[in-house]
């Protein structure tokens, strides 16, 4: 029986696992990807305030954002420079690896390549049925007093415990483009 089981090895899950383990709670984090940071579809832009208040690792910072330029489909351009630093651009894989290192150093056990098949919430405990990715016959139970779902808004697990889908969230798109002659300051 663990104190905490965290499902999802993105920044939120890793940070939570690190904080719980640092406070002495027996914490295990499960992520279905074979390696933390692999296959991220989420952007690497993180607000400067998050770095200031949460003591996030800075080794993965690639750039800073203080100036923005918006280009409309009709060719209009709006440039904006904020008086202070707005955000950092990070290498998401490296950032997530740093968070994983912090969580492990605090005592959290990170288990990659583990997919949650089902959840059962009872009085006093949560039972999580876990399988090794690619091996459906390898199921094993994980029990904990607290379950944290850090799997994103589209996770099927939210609905399986009656949480449904969050109503307020931002849909976005991201593309990597090669641009010639772009001034980057």
């Amino acid at each position: 029986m663990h104190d905490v089981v965290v499902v999802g090895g993105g920044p939120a899950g890793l940070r939570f696992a690190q904080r719980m383990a640092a406070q002495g709670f027996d914490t295990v984090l499960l992520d279905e990807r074979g390696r933390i940071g692999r296959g991220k579809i989420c952007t690497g832009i993180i607000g400067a305030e998050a770095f200031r208040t949460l003591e996030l690792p800075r080794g993965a910072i690639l750039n800073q954002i203080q100036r923005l330029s918006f280009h409309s489909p009709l060719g209009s351009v709006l440039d904006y420079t904020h008086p202070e630093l707005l955000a950092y651009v990070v290498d998401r894989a490296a950032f997530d690896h740093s968070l994983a290192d912090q969580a492990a150093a605090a005592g959290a056990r990170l288990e990659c390549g583990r997919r949650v098949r089902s959840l059962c919430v009872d009085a006093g405990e949560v039972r999580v049925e876990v399988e090794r990715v690619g091996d459906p016959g390898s199921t094993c139970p994980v029990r904990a007093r607290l379950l944290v779902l850090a799997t994103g808004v589209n996770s099927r697990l939210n609905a399986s415990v009656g949480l449904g889908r969050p109503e307020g969230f931002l849909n976005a798109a991201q593309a990597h483009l090669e641009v010639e002659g772009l001034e980057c300051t």
Side-chain angles (χ1 to χ4, degrees), residues 12-82:
L14 289 164
R15 181 72 172 158
F16 190 84
Q18 181 263 326
R19 298 283 305 265
M20 292 294 97
Q23 292 181 40
F25 293 102
D26 175 11
T27 305
V28 62
L29 180 139
L30 307 170
D31 193 274
E32 68 182 2
R33 293 166 294 157
R35 185 170 178 215
I36 296 292
R38 175 178 273 166
K40 295 309 292 179
I41 59 170
C42 197
T43 186
I45 299 175
I46 301 173
E49 183 178 354
F51 276 91
R52 284 191 304 272
T53 59
L54 300 176
E55 301 172 17
L56 298 176
R58 295 179 171 270
I61 294 174
L62 300 172
N63 210 338
Q64 300 177 4
I65 299 175
Q66 187 170 355
R67 187 180 65 167
L68 305 169
S69 185
F70 299 94
H71 297 259
S72 80
L74 299 176
S76 298
V77 177
L78 172 64
D79 289 317
Y80 172 73
T81 301
H82 195 69

Side-chain angles (χ1 to χ4, degrees), residues 5 7 30 116-121 126-130 142 147 149 155-161:
V5 63
V7 180
L30 307 170
V116 174
R117 291 187 55 160
S118 64
L119 301 169
C120 181
V121 179
V126 177
R127 289 187 308 278
V128 180
E129 191 73 22
V130 181
V142 174
L147 167 70
L149 294 177
S155 173
R156 64 179 169 73
L157 298 175
N158 295 352
S160 75
V161 292

Side-chain angles (χ1 to χ4, degrees), residues 86-166:
L86 288 170
Y88 292 99
V89 179
V90 299
D91 175 326
R92 266 304 299 278
F95 182 73
D96 287 8
H97 288 291
S98 294
L99 290 173
D101 289 345
Q102 287 181 345
R109 192 169 86 223
L110 309 180
E111 295 189 12
C112 294
R114 302 289 190 255
R115 177 177 294 129
V116 174
R117 291 187 55 160
S118 64
L119 301 169
C120 181
V121 179
D122 282 334
E125 78 171 21
V126 177
R127 289 187 308 278
V128 180
E129 191 73 22
V130 181
E131 71 181 16
R132 262 194 249 74
V133 172
D135 186 3
S138 66
T139 60
C140 67
V142 174
R143 295 173 45 229
R145 293 178 203 356
L146 175 68
L147 167 70
V148 175
L149 294 177
T151 53
V153 297
N154 293 318
S155 173
R156 64 179 169 73
L157 298 175
N158 295 352
S160 75
V161 292
L163 296 176
R165 186 177 172 165

Side-chain angles (χ1 to χ4, degrees), residues 162-175:
L163 296 176
R165 186 177 172 165
E167 291 183 26
F169 60 91
L170 177 65
N171 283 317
Q174 176 178 329

